[in-house]
Amino acid sequence: DTEVTQTPKHLVMGMTNKKSLKCEQHMGHRAMYWYKQKAKKPPELMFVYSYEKLSINESVPSRFSPECPNSSLLNLHLHALQPEDSALYLCASSQLTSGGVSYNEQFFGPGTRLTVL
Amino acid sequence: SQKIEQNSEALNIQEGKTATLTCNYTNYSPAYLQWYRQDPGRGPVFLLLIRENEKEKRKERLKVTFDTTLKQSLFHITASQPADSATYLCALDMKRSSGSARQLTFGSGTQLTVLP
């Protein structure tokens, strides 16, 4: 199984709502990532988890809260978002070397299209 | 500051010709460079990875070169087909100054259209 799955595919939420995005992979990858992608722009890294621990947070606002409950799952909890947070949210995973560093290709999910009203 | 540029936002070529896409970077010393394909509304799909000590990599109709002196990678699709139409992204690993964690930084992408 070389697939990364993301749910939901589409999400519309108000600025006061709380919602969660989910990502799952069963490739045994120990690095998982959240990216944000606006239209006609490249993916921008938000968070990196290595061995289920947060290793990189790219100064993301606290209204985005990541969680990695186990080695196969990655969540992104959303609260009090702004309309400018509307974007495609991509999850990815990759293998890690024995030193905990990823030199490998990343496998991306199809993304969740988020609209904040 | 670090910067990654892809030669053009859009590239149109005729079916059967070779498409050449360029990725230039400044102020980086990446250990490797990757190329991805992205179709509208979908996640990027990995195509090729080339390491700093490699000059060229091939996979079927795809070829990537990596010139660390020029700080440039070229991505070629030979015998192009309309199905090759997509956005192509180069991505460089960037070692974080605060530790050993690495991350990919993507170029802005080139939208390739292969005309029948």
Side-chain angles (χ1 to χ4, degrees):
Chain A
D1 184 0
T2 58
E3 192 180 19
V4 175
T5 59
Q6 290 188 243
T7 55
K9 286 187 171 30
H10 301 274
L11 179 62
V12 179
M13 59 187 291
M15 290 191 284
T16 58
N17 292 157
K18 284 185 182 181
K19 297 286 184 183
S20 296
L21 309 184
K22 296 186 184 304
C23 173
E24 190 167 4
Q25 57 88 14
H26 295 287
M27 294 177 277
H29 291 168
R30 302 303 296 276
M32 295 187 77
Y33 312 80
W34 280 115
Y35 289 85
K36 173 182 177 180
Q37 187 175 26
K38 302 281 267 185
K40 298 194 180 298
K41 296 290 186 184
E44 292 181 358
L45 184 68
M46 299 174 73
F47 302 105
V48 180
Y49 273 83
S50 302
Y51 300 109
E52 296 84 69
K53 293 195 186 318
L54 185 65
S55 60
I56 296 178
N57 176 341
E58 288 291 9
S59 303
V60 179
S62 59
R63 57 185 184 268
F64 295 91
S65 174
E67 178 197 21
C68 191
N70 60 55
S71 60
S72 299
L73 293 174
L74 186 66
N75 298 321
L76 186 63
H77 303 297
L78 314 173
H79 174 54
L81 294 193
Q82 304 296 311
E84 59 264 29
D85 296 322
S86 299
L88 182 68
Y89 287 84
L90 294 162
C91 172
S93 70
S94 69
Q95 290 179 339
L96 284 175
T97 64
S98 58
V101 177
S102 175
Y103 292 101
N104 301 294
E105 67 266 30
Q106 295 186 11
F107 291 76
F108 283 82
T112 294
R113 175 72 60 189
L114 175 67
T115 302
V116 182
L117 302 176
Chain B
S1 63
Q2 298 94 346
K3 199 172 178 184
I4 307 171
E5 287 184 338
Q6 294 192 235
N7 57 326
S8 55
E9 197 172 307
L11 178 65
N12 295 337
I13 64 164
Q14 210 64 41
E15 182 176 7
K17 300 291 186 186
T18 295
T20 299
L21 285 64
T22 304
C23 178
N24 294 293
Y25 59 94
T26 58
N27 300 327
Y28 278 153
S29 293
Y32 60 84
L33 185 148
Q34 301 182 20
W35 284 89
Y36 288 79
R37 167 185 173 140
Q38 187 172 25
D39 291 284
R42 311 285 294 270
V45 174
F46 170 79
L47 296 174
L48 281 168
L49 180 153
I50 187 164
R51 301 186 190 282
E52 60 181 337
N53 59 350
E54 297 174 321
K55 296 292 185 188
E56 182 179 299
K57 218 49 172 312
R58 290 175 186 263
K59 180 182 175 184
E60 298 171 352
R61 293 185 296 112
L62 308 180
K63 184 177 86 171
V64 172
T65 62
F66 194 12
D67 189 326
T68 54
T69 302
L70 290 179
K71 295 188 182 297
Q72 181 181 79
S73 174
L74 299 179
F75 177 78
H76 307 272
I77 306 175
T78 59
S80 59
Q81 304 165 0
D84 295 326
S85 299
T87 296
Y88 291 85
L89 300 159
C90 68
L92 279 69
D93 94 294
M94 184 174 75
K95 182 176 179 179
R96 293 176 67 85
S97 57
S98 58
S100 63
R102 305 185 89 99
Q103 65 185 70
L104 281 185
T105 301
F106 285 86
S108 52
T110 295
Q111 186 173 338
L112 175 67
T113 302
V114 181
L115 304 168

